Amino acid sequence: EPGTDSYDPIQAEEFYKSRPLMVAKRILRLASLTAVFNTGLLFDWLVLGKLLGDEEYTALRKNEPRRAKEALVLCEKLGPTFIKLGQAL
């Protein structure tokens, strides 16, 4: 019966080990979806903060509401596990 009592790490490993293409596609999907978001955060922190000498990180703080909305949309695109992680944060 499916549920929290029925997880078997050995079965999970066998399942994913026999499906390398499925795993690779999921990793590429995760990478492509998160790349734009992560690049934006890096830009805010590194370029606007460090390189332009914004020691107060005002640009980073100013962009927080927009980045939070982007993170919410990203969690929805990534699926139920990430939605739960987003709710926990």
Side-chain angles (χ1 to χ4, degrees):
E1 175 181 353
T4 56
D5 304 353
S6 63
Y7 178 73
D8 181 359
I10 295 169
Q11 273 188 316
E13 182 180 2
E14 290 172 6
F15 178 86
Y16 289 110
K17 203 177 233 181
S18 65
R19 294 165 176 84
L21 185 58
M22 182 183 83
V23 172
K25 283 171 57 176
R26 180 64 177 159
I27 290 171
L28 289 174
R29 175 87 172 132
L30 292 173
S32 69
L33 286 172
T34 59
V36 172
F37 180 76
N38 291 333
T39 300
L41 285 177
L42 186 62
F43 179 82
D44 289 349
W45 175 75
L46 182 63
V47 175
L48 299 179
K50 294 284 187 185
L51 296 180
L52 296 181
D54 179 10
E55 299 197 13
E56 299 291 318
Y57 294 102
T58 53
L60 186 62
R61 272 193 250 117
K62 184 185 87 171
N63 287 336
E64 277 180 357
R66 182 169 53 93
R67 297 288 181 214
K69 289 176 186 173
E70 290 173 359
L72 177 62
V73 170
L74 180 59
C75 284
E76 291 171 353
K77 287 180 181 177
L78 291 171
T81 301
F82 290 90
I83 291 172
K84 284 293 179 193
L85 287 172
Q87 288 171 341
L89 293 174

